[in-house]
Amino acid sequence: LYINADLMQLKNQARISAGTAISGQGGNLVLKAQNLLMRQNSQIDTTAGQAGNGGNITIDSDLIEALENSDISADAGIGSGGNIQVTTQGLFGIAYRPQRT
């Protein structure tokens, strides 16, 4: 999935997601925006259900703001989780966590 926008705003549990339920590679996400604003439990994620690897997430945005328990993740049930690559000039509200909160 490729999204190119001036402003990308997710709020009130909004979600951009690519994945598979049982097997296969999770889908990849490429997001390009001048500003990416995430609030109120919003998510950007890729997942692979049971036997696949998680898809990759690439974000290119001048400003990224992820507040109020919003998350960016690339997971897999058994396989390897995907990679997350972020290119930005300003990143607010994101903190690495070794496990889900």
Side-chain angles (χ1 to χ4, degrees):
L1 176 64
Y2 179 89
I3 299 173
N4 187 2
D6 289 332
L7 171 63
M8 201 176 309
Q9 185 172 356
L10 287 74
K11 63 186 227 180
N12 197 21
Q13 300 180 4
R15 184 176 190 179
I16 297 174
S17 181
T20 61
I22 297 176
S23 65
Q25 181 84 5
N28 295 322
L29 296 176
V30 178
L31 309 175
K32 292 187 175 194
Q34 270 189 297
N35 296 305
L36 171 59
L37 309 174
M38 301 174 63
R39 294 180 175 266
Q40 301 167 331
N41 300 306
S42 294
Q43 293 186 9
I44 296 172
D45 64 25
T46 59
T47 59
Q50 296 175 3
N53 295 325
N56 298 319
I57 299 172
T58 302
I59 300 173
D60 185 353
S61 179
D62 291 342
L63 173 67
I64 300 171
E65 184 178 290
L67 303 172
E68 299 162 276
N69 202 33
S70 295
D71 293 312
I72 300 171
S73 62
D75 296 327
I78 296 173
S80 298
N83 296 309
I84 299 172
Q85 180 179 341
V86 176
T87 303
T88 188
Q89 294 177 15
L91 182 62
F92 300 94
I94 293 179
Y96 171 78
R97 294 180 184 90
Q99 61 190 22
R100 290 202 174 267
T101 59

